[in-house]
Amino acid sequence: MCSSIKSVILLLDKNTSSSPIKASHFKLSSFNMKLYFSHEGVNRSAHLRKNLDFLKLAKQDSQSRFIAFAQEQPLFLFPPELNPELLLLSPEHIPVENTSHFLGLHNGISYFATDLSEPIPLTKPLSLRSATQYCSEEQAGLLAYAQSLLHWSRQFLFCPTCAQKLTLSPAGDFKTCNSCSKEYYPRINPVVIMVIEAQTEQGEFALLGRQSRHPPGMYSCLAGFIEAGESIEAAVARETFEETGVLIDEQSIEIWFNQPWPWPSQLMIGCYAKAQHFQEPVVDLDELEQAHWFTKEEIQKSCLGMSSILNIPPHFTIAHQLLKNWSSPSPNTYLKGHT
Ligand SMILES: [Zn+2]
């Protein structure tokens, strides 16, 4: 190695202020829970995606069901004076020219997602947030899966390498460039979302922030996208410091549970960490409007909808479940995660 390169490496090494963050504690099995949008409702049956005979038959089988979207939202039947129901179409109702995406099997029935562009009579498109009130958890998971896949297919049209139009695979699970033969699969974007705890003589506090788009009184967990080449642990430390100036104890980071988040295709990775100090947050106004420490008691009350000063996000979000587990007095949830 030439001496100038060696000296640059030595210089870099000297200037590195912190050692790499050590492996975190994985407690996934301790929580014994699945979050909203995590119930897929089908077996993805990936081995069938390349079976052209199966796909051809399944797309024509009168037992098969198609989840129909229009205007980027799932369609619901709106029978007069009854609750809306998720629309599940059989193959004869799908236009021949429509592309469809194989989602998987449930009880021997094949499920597909397809985009009809416009609603059909007696149906309306519903946002997934609104749809959660009419869906089982299995249906919500299936809709999240379908929505992310359809969004990717609608947006990802041209080859990033040679700019030619891409062709969807028969199962609708990837695209191929006819010009350079490259294959492209749907991408997900990983996001860290975390409970940051401070222990004081007055009790335990969690650091929450709010964005200007949040309804009045709503605060949520800090969160942010994981950057290229970054670990989950490093992202937790960086995002917390960037948004609030709070330094965390890197050895305290735990990865608790995760949730697919279909707007459009995130994977929310729920984490926990301890702050080094109980310090006043210094908010980055490009990221947050405000950040405050809230007591465990106040968060418990908010989980029950009984707080007059704090609203946390709704039950189907990972932020709600993180805060519920963190503030829960039950040994089956939070405490069980801390052996
Ligand atoms: Zn290409």
Side-chain angles (χ1 to χ4, degrees):
M1 185 185 295
C2 83
S3 61
S4 60
I5 293 179
K6 206 171 175 183
S7 57
V8 168
I9 292 173
L10 284 171
L11 188 67
L12 285 172
D13 201 33
K14 241 187 214 172
N15 284 345
T16 302
S17 58
S18 61
S19 55
I21 301 173
K22 298 260 173 65
S24 51
H25 307 280
F26 284 79
K27 304 280 186 184
L28 296 174
S29 59
S30 306
F31 292 97
N32 191 26
M33 62 181 291
K34 267 192 157 186
L35 284 131
Y36 225 76
F37 303 131
S38 299
H39 297 261
E40 294 182 347
V42 290
N43 180 331
R44 292 190 181 220
S45 307
H47 63 289
L48 294 172
R49 291 176 188 160
K50 285 193 163 49
N51 186 331
L52 300 184
D53 291 337
F54 163 80
L55 290 170
K56 190 176 173 194
L57 285 172
K59 285 180 186 176
Q60 297 167 355
D61 183 351
S62 61
Q63 300 288 308
S64 295
R65 290 293 175 264
F66 289 70
I67 296 176
F69 279 64
Q71 299 161 6
E72 305 188 16
Q73 294 176 334
L75 288 176
F76 277 72
L77 270 170
F78 274 76
E81 297 170 22
L82 287 174
N83 273 340
E85 276 180 38
L86 177 64
L87 179 69
L88 292 170
L89 291 173
S90 47
E92 64 267 29
H93 298 108
I94 306 299
V96 189
E97 68 278 9
N98 249 53
T99 53
S100 53
H101 302 257
F102 176 61
L103 299 173
L105 295 174
H106 178 65
N107 289 338
I109 294 172
S110 301
Y111 284 82
F112 293 86
T114 194
D115 197 333
L116 296 180
S117 303
E118 293 299 325
I120 56 177
L122 291 179
T123 70
K124 281 184 196 168
L126 270 189
S127 77
L128 216 46
R129 278 189 179 83
S130 308
T132 54
Q133 58 188 307
Y134 306 117
C135 283
S136 67
E137 293 202 354
E138 284 75 15
Q139 285 179 336
L142 199 54
L143 288 179
Y145 171 21
Q147 181 164 295
S148 289
L149 208 48
L150 289 170
H151 177 86
W152 163 78
S153 190
R154 234 181 352 258
Q155 298 286 316
F156 198 76
L157 301 174
F158 299 97
C159 176
T161 305
C162 71
Q164 296 302 304
K165 202 160 187 219
L166 296 170
T167 303
L168 189 66
S169 69
D173 59 330
F174 69 96
K175 292 191 178 189
T176 311
C177 175
N178 294 332
S179 175
C180 72
S181 303
K182 288 203 168 142
E183 293 180 351
Y184 299 96
Y185 290 80
R187 293 297 176 96
I188 57 164
N189 301 307
V191 173
V192 285
I193 179 163
M194 48 272 180
V195 182
I196 305 299
E197 175 187 286
Q199 293 175 347
T200 74
E201 287 177 1
Q202 290 79 44
E204 290 157 302
F205 291 76
L207 179 60
L208 305 183
R210 60 168 279 110
Q211 297 176 339
S212 53
R213 63 183 172 81
H214 285 154
M218 177 173 281
Y219 286 78
S220 185
C221 296
L222 305 182
F225 287 99
I226 298 178
E227 295 187 349
E230 189 174 43
S231 69
I232 294 170
E233 297 91 330
V236 168
R238 176 185 55 76
E239 281 289 341
T240 305
F241 181 73
E242 281 180 4
E243 293 187 355
T244 64
V246 171
L247 288 166
I248 63 167
D249 170 3
E250 292 169 350
Q251 302 307 317
S252 72
I253 301 173
E254 295 178 3
I255 301 170
W256 279 6
F257 37 72
N258 62 85
Q259 177 186 40
W261 192 243
W263 289 281
S265 202
Q266 268 80 270
L267 178 65
M268 309 296 289
I269 303 168
C271 300
Y272 157 91
K274 286 180 183 162
Q276 287 184 17
H277 312 287
F278 184 47
Q279 63 188 84
E280 192 61 32
V282 180
V283 172
D284 175 355
L285 293 173
D286 288 337
E287 303 256 3
L288 294 176
E289 186 180 72
Q290 288 175 21
H292 292 298
W293 293 100
F294 290 90
T295 63
K296 186 169 266 191
E297 293 71 28
E298 201 61 51
I299 289 174
Q300 272 174 7
K301 276 169 41 182
S302 186
C303 289
L304 298 168
M306 294 168 65
S307 170
S308 57
I309 61 165
L310 173 64
N311 285 322
I312 60 169
H315 74 284
F316 60 83
T317 63
I318 191 169
H320 185 104
Q321 297 304 327
L322 283 168
L323 293 171
K324 188 175 168 187
N325 273 276
W326 176 75
S327 63
S328 170
S330 162
N332 292 324
T333 51
Y334 172 70
L335 292 177
K336 197 175 171 191
H338 282 239
T339 51

